[in-house]
Amino acid sequence: MSANKNIPYLEHNNGTRIQGIGLGTFSSLGGDCERATLKAIDVGYRHIDCAYFYGNESEVGAAVRQKIKEGVIKREDIHITSKLWNHFHEPERVEHACRKTLENFGLDYVDLYLIHWPFSYVYRGDEVMIPTDENGEVELNDVDFLDTWRAMEKLVELGLTKSIGVSNFNAEQLSRLLANCKIKPIHNQIECNPAFIQRKLIDLCKQNDILVTGYCPLRRGNPSTQTPNYIYDDRVKAIGEKYNKSTAQVVLRYLFELGTIPLPKSSNPQRIKENFDIFDFKLDAQDHALLETFNTGDRLILAAQAVKSKNYPFNVVLPFC
């Protein structure tokens, strides 16, 4: 159970449940990730988002095991997501990759295992995560993500993960997967913030009973340049003052009310707590209308290194509105 009974849980299409906010961990290293995870669990987070590519699965695992040992949580209380990296897409490598992730965590299973991207890289070794050729270009291959998915389905049968899903799949790719899968994905993790809502993709997911987790909900804040603008805008500040909340809390609440599960990343103890504290107020229609004005369709994460892949997901662009 969550430390706070007011924190909502959402149900997946396979009957499992997940907390309506999660701790993002990308680029959190050098002990910061372990400390952040310990703090997050104490605050009440029961949803931690990780990936093999992030290089910090061992830190998350150490924190989770410590809190289990302390009696703060049981293993079944916390949802842990990790992701299959691009060089493990060949079906014969998928189980190995998942077992390596479990070894890093020091756990028997993950709750959700995602295909991190629909495109794939040439395999040059477990730790060569971005293989490059003599010209410095990323070495791509053309593994069909349907073949990768079939190997992912076997992980569920083996009990290595409770559920499977995808990340960064566009509407066409998601529809193709749904038409050919045995086990339906429970999640599509995508970039989602006020500047880049992806409403039509979110709606497609809803229509197919797939939850959306949103990364980069606050983008990458820079006080010196006052970006992203919606964090520093006086009108958003006024909304925050109305509810006694920060602009970041207003944004996270907005994204939750749009039907996504935001994944704010922080290693700052106060911000970890603040980001979690978004479930004791609701935005009104005027608040939504104002926040909608920031939706410019400006994508932050482009993955340009894979633009030549036939499975590059951003070639098929739905209108951002």
Side-chain angles (χ1 to χ4, degrees):
M1 294 293 292
S2 168
N4 187 329
K5 294 180 180 178
N6 294 323
I7 308 304
Y9 279 73
L10 292 83
E11 186 167 324
H12 297 124
N13 59 45
N14 63 359
T16 59
R17 298 167 73 242
I18 190 170
Q19 199 175 59
I21 192 167
L23 178 72
T25 61
F26 175 65
S27 77
S28 183
L29 297 165
D32 283 349
C33 187
E34 182 173 353
R35 288 186 290 271
T37 305
L38 289 169
K39 176 63 178 179
I41 293 172
D42 285 341
V43 165
Y45 287 80
R46 297 295 181 264
H47 171 193
I48 313 295
D49 182 79
C50 316
Y52 181 81
F53 180 68
Y54 300 169
N56 53 20
E57 290 172 325
S58 60
E59 292 190 41
V60 171
V64 168
R65 295 195 312 273
Q66 179 176 328
K67 289 302 174 183
I68 292 173
K69 185 177 180 180
E70 291 174 3
V72 175
I73 55 171
K74 297 177 182 178
R75 173 63 186 91
E76 59 268 26
D77 294 336
I78 191 161
H79 176 105
I80 298 175
T81 296
S82 197
K83 307 177 189 77
L84 178 81
W85 187 239
N86 308 334
H87 64 329
F88 288 133
H89 276 215
E90 292 164 314
E92 64 272 20
R93 301 194 193 281
V94 172
E95 182 182 336
H96 165 74
C98 187
R99 290 188 183 278
K100 191 170 179 66
T101 278
L102 294 178
E103 182 181 338
N104 291 340
F105 281 128
L107 299 171
D108 295 329
Y109 67 91
V110 289
D111 297 273
L112 176 59
Y113 199 49
L114 306 177
I115 298 179
H116 204 146
W117 290 91
F119 53 78
S120 56
Y121 297 160
V122 170
Y123 179 81
R124 300 293 185 197
D126 287 359
E127 305 308 319
V128 184
M129 289 188 276
I130 305 181
T132 55
D133 62 20
E134 62 275 10
N135 298 315
E137 292 194 11
V138 173
E139 293 184 291
L140 302 165
N141 65 20
D142 58 357
V143 177
D144 189 333
F145 58 75
L146 291 184
D147 293 330
T148 306
W149 186 257
R150 293 182 186 105
M152 295 279 285
E153 291 174 329
K154 292 179 182 177
L155 302 180
V156 179
E157 297 168 3
L158 291 169
L160 302 180
T161 181
K162 299 291 186 182
S163 307
I164 50 177
V166 296
S167 179
N168 298 299
F169 273 49
N170 64 34
E172 182 179 283
Q173 291 166 334
L174 188 61
S175 297
R176 180 171 178 252
L177 177 59
L178 287 168
N180 291 279
C181 63
K182 182 172 68 174
I183 298 177
K184 189 175 180 179
I186 67 166
H187 270 238
N188 188 14
Q189 185 174 129
I190 59 175
E191 180 181 343
C192 188
N193 52 66
F196 193 64
I197 291 298
Q198 302 204 76
R199 193 181 300 277
K200 290 194 174 183
L201 183 53
I202 292 171
D203 287 345
L204 176 66
C205 291
K206 287 181 181 178
Q207 291 163 16
N208 288 280
D209 201 17
I210 295 169
L211 292 184
V212 172
T213 39
Y215 65 80
C216 294
L218 304 175
R219 292 175 80 94
R220 293 171 180 167
N222 187 337
S224 65
T225 59
Q226 299 280 284
T227 54
N229 59 342
Y230 49 78
I231 292 294
Y232 298 95
D233 190 279
D234 287 340
R235 296 166 299 170
V236 182
K237 289 179 182 178
I239 294 175
E241 289 168 1
K242 181 168 61 173
Y243 302 109
N244 195 28
K245 297 293 180 180
S246 69
T247 53
Q249 288 172 310
V250 168
V251 167
L252 293 172
R253 178 69 200 186
Y254 170 63
L255 296 172
F256 175 76
E257 290 184 7
L258 289 180
T260 74
I261 301 171
L263 299 171
K265 177 259 174 183
S266 181
S267 56
N268 179 290
Q270 182 56 38
R271 284 197 290 271
I272 290 171
K273 184 176 185 298
E274 177 184 294
N275 291 341
F276 191 70
D277 186 22
I278 64 167
F279 298 108
D280 59 351
F281 74 108
K282 293 183 179 179
L283 301 172
D284 61 31
Q286 288 183 320
D287 302 331
H288 274 259
L290 173 63
L291 289 162
E292 178 66 27
T293 66
F294 294 97
N295 187 19
T296 60
D298 178 23
R299 187 188 295 274
L300 179 66
I301 306 301
L302 298 175
Q305 75 280 0
V307 71
K308 294 180 181 178
S309 171
K310 69 176 185 180
N311 290 319
Y312 181 70
F314 306 145
N315 290 331
V316 178
V317 180
L318 290 172
F320 65 83
C321 58

